[in-house]
Amino acid sequence: MNDVEVTVMRFDPDEDETPRFDTFPIGAKKNMTVLDSLFLIVEDQDPTLSFRCACRLGMCGSCGMVINGRGRLACRTKIESLGDKIEVQPMRNMDVIKDLSVNMDKFFKNWEKVKPYFVPKEETDEFSVIPPASGRREIIDENQDCITCGLCYLSCDAVALRGEDGYIGPAALNRAYNLIADERDGAKDERLDMVTDRDGAFGCRSFGACVEVCPKGIKPMKTIQKIKTKKLRRSVGLKY
Amino acid sequence: MEHVEADILILGSGGAGLFAAHHAADQNSNLKIIVSAKGLIGKSGCTRMVQGGYNVVLHPDDSVEKHFKDTIKGGGGINNQEMAWTLVNDAPRRIRELETKMGVFFDRNEDGTVHQKPFAGQSFDRTVHKGDLTGIEIISRMRDQLYAKPSVEDWDEVRAIDLLIDEESRRVAGCLMLNMRTGEFIVVHCKAVIVGTGGAATMYKIATPSLEKAGDGLAMCYRAGTEFLDMEMMQFHPTGLLAENSRLNGGVLEEGLRGAGGYLINSLGERFMKNYDPERMERSTRDRVSRAAYMEIMEGRGTELGGVYVDVSHLGKENVRKMFPGMVERCRDVGKDLSVEPVEISPAAHFQMGGVKVSNDCESDIAGLFVAGEDAGGVHGANRLGGNGVCDSTVFGARAGDAAAAYVASLKSQVKVSDTQVHEIIEDIVEPYRRTDGENPFYIRNDLKNLMWEKVGLVRNGKDLNQAVAELERLKDRVNRVAVKGSQKYNLTWQELLNVRNLVTVAKMVTSSALIRTESRGSHYREDFPESNDERWLSNIYAAKGENGEPEYRVDKTKQTHINVKEIQGYQVVATSK
């Protein structure tokens, strides 16, 4: 494989007025990911580059970045898929801590808004008996593996246009849906109201970037639609 | 420098740390609890990376006695039996807590009851799971549930540097922390610390854990003076994915592949386990399967990349894709389709059985210092069963939380942090910034990983171990010569220095303990002593910092408090006949 040029954004908000871009040559090899290339930079070329990662296998959602213009996990993005020039920037819609690492507080503040925790409907120590074929889990299970990487949040136009207080964003709304649809949860109505206010589900414009970038195959646009449907059905007195 | 007061400080946000936080907060919602981690809370550590699942007795035909015996047998008979008994008895409560209090939803049988799948080394199919990426569900729900507990503060990317102990009373006074984002130090003044930062398997060339793990808790406890045991016991997972040139290397392909009937095959196309454990074949325990694979590779029957193959294609393409979607996706990263072809794998360092010596309630020898999860030793003995890891971290995390809350409630006075001690530690930590030229910590880590893999790996001998002991001293000297450039803010090179410093500290205990144990047991295999020797070694090796700062060792018989392991067949390592 050929050498590639990896250009990374450098920015320390305490020191720099504007970001700059540094370019490093990397000898591309089979299997190599963007995360591997960042490690090669910090190990051999510039020890001061900052970025975040943990599991390196797409399970923790720590290494979300904008790679060649699109939100991706650095650990799940092969160099060979990107051509000779690779540009890496921090996630949008969040504040930069330094270089490629961002503060995800805006994302998690919105996550917290949907009451993301389980509220048991009844005090019990027994497992619910729910046959998989019953359909009672609706579409929870296929949308449950969210790793809160924030890629949908950085890619969402509604978030970009309305800001952190104007729209809760795809991941958090997907979490809300999973709880609303969970027959074991006791805060269904309260939560349904919380996520259909001005900053809630009806703010989704169904552009679908969230579905396209999700590294876990989750479809927030679809679960957000389900929230809207549930709210409308409830308001006209139908089963929801 | 910032000073913060708290009742309980929890280091690590994996299964142990988060369960501890929940339980301590449930005991008393007025306690100020801080959970702190090197990464984002809930995103670092290995509970999230659990694939296979959680061993627990739920079925009427199963029993805690069976789970207990499997655990002791797998552990080569040197487990702390009180802890193992606690593990199997508490697990059913913890799994129910996860489902009914935190909203986890495990996979179901067709009739809607909880599904339990087969795992290696177990006499009953008792592994509860969520697909083949169980940890994501467990840790995400535990993390979410913290939002319901405002008394718990979460500190992202704040790592612990050292425990602050009052030397006279041997009590916890606090902990020196480093905010990795700002590069500034924080002194936490607290009554209790719970350590749950995970083990140090990342000291090996091919390793499965999350990259940030560096045995930090173990090294801090060592410096604080706690006693350790079983440090020679390092588990190698048999099926780490081989991905040359990438940190994907060593990513686990889950145990369930073998459980479901997967084959392990050498380059001659033979199912080599027939020569090592003909009865259990691929469903033998991790220690045996890993060693067998390693020996095949060493004897020239390995693949091009120096591995062997795992093959599940005979289970049917659709079945494999349905049962193991996460594993199929992972193999696709190296251009292989697990559902139709064999995939190259190698044993990979996975889990540290050894750790800090604790009581059943996770108390260490230092008052107010609790240790849970992988950082604690004893429960798994010489080898951990697949599926007993997340079981361990949740069971003992909960107990640590309960015990720490009770300890804090019983405390009449608090001891003071020594400013001199804080100052000395900080001077030492920032010293590398004063050097203009010096060692690169990433290169030291690579050398450490190669050294441990080659000389303290799956198959050990006295000569190599002696060389490793000497080589580790040289690495330690190099650690002291590292130079760091740039600011203290989010400086990965500086962080790597702190990581490798801790790894070398732990590696020294691993290597010396391995040299002392002149027999083979569980995951510890000596080619110069290839069989178990109960006469001498149905025992544990303990280590602690001596007067001169170097570790000192002692050996003590394992107490057979519940059952005499000799009543169980097959816990020993016997010479293989090939």
Side-chain angles (χ1 to χ4, degrees), chain B residues 362-401:
Chain B
C362 308
E363 302 151 297
S364 71
D365 316 325
I366 297 172
L369 178 62
F370 300 81
V371 184
E374 198 181 356
D375 308 56
V379 64
H380 306 294
N383 174 51
R384 170 171 75 73
L385 293 183
N388 267 2
V390 64
C391 182
D392 168 7
S393 57
T394 53
V395 160
F396 287 99
R399 293 182 80 88

Side-chain angles (χ1 to χ4, degrees), chain A residues 83-201:
Chain A
D84 296 341
K85 291 191 192 306
I86 299 169
E87 189 178 81
V88 191
Q89 292 174 263
M91 288 202 284
R92 291 186 288 263
N93 298 341
M94 297 179 218
D95 296 327
V96 172
I97 297 172
K98 186 170 170 286
D99 302 336
L100 303 171
S101 64
V102 296
N103 187 327
M104 290 186 75
D105 286 356
K106 284 182 181 169
F107 172 83
F108 283 109
K109 203 177 81 188
N110 277 294
W111 184 267
E112 202 171 346
K113 277 185 197 160
V114 308
K115 200 170 187 155
Y117 52 88
F118 182 63
V119 180
K121 191 185 267 176
E122 52 181 345
E123 277 295 312
T124 174
D125 287 328
E126 290 310 309
F127 297 97
S128 310
V129 177
I130 304 178
S134 67
R136 280 155 60 191
R137 296 275 292 166
E138 299 188 25
I139 54 169
I140 301 175
D141 295 327
E142 62 197 75
N143 292 294
Q144 182 75 339
D145 267 354
C146 177
I147 54 174
T148 57
C149 63
L151 291 183
C152 59
Y153 190 82
L154 89 85
S155 309
C156 176
D157 278 344
V159 172
L161 289 169
R162 288 181 221 129
E164 55 182 299
D165 299 320
Y167 183 52
I168 290 173
L173 289 170
N174 179 72
R175 174 67 187 138
Y177 166 78
N178 286 339
L179 285 162
I180 290 166
D182 190 334
E183 62 178 74
R184 304 170 304 158
D185 189 88
K188 180 175 184 170
D189 282 313
E190 181 195 350
R191 201 176 275 110
L192 192 53
D193 288 334
M194 290 170 92
V195 300
T196 47
D197 209 345
R198 292 174 63 89
D199 58 355

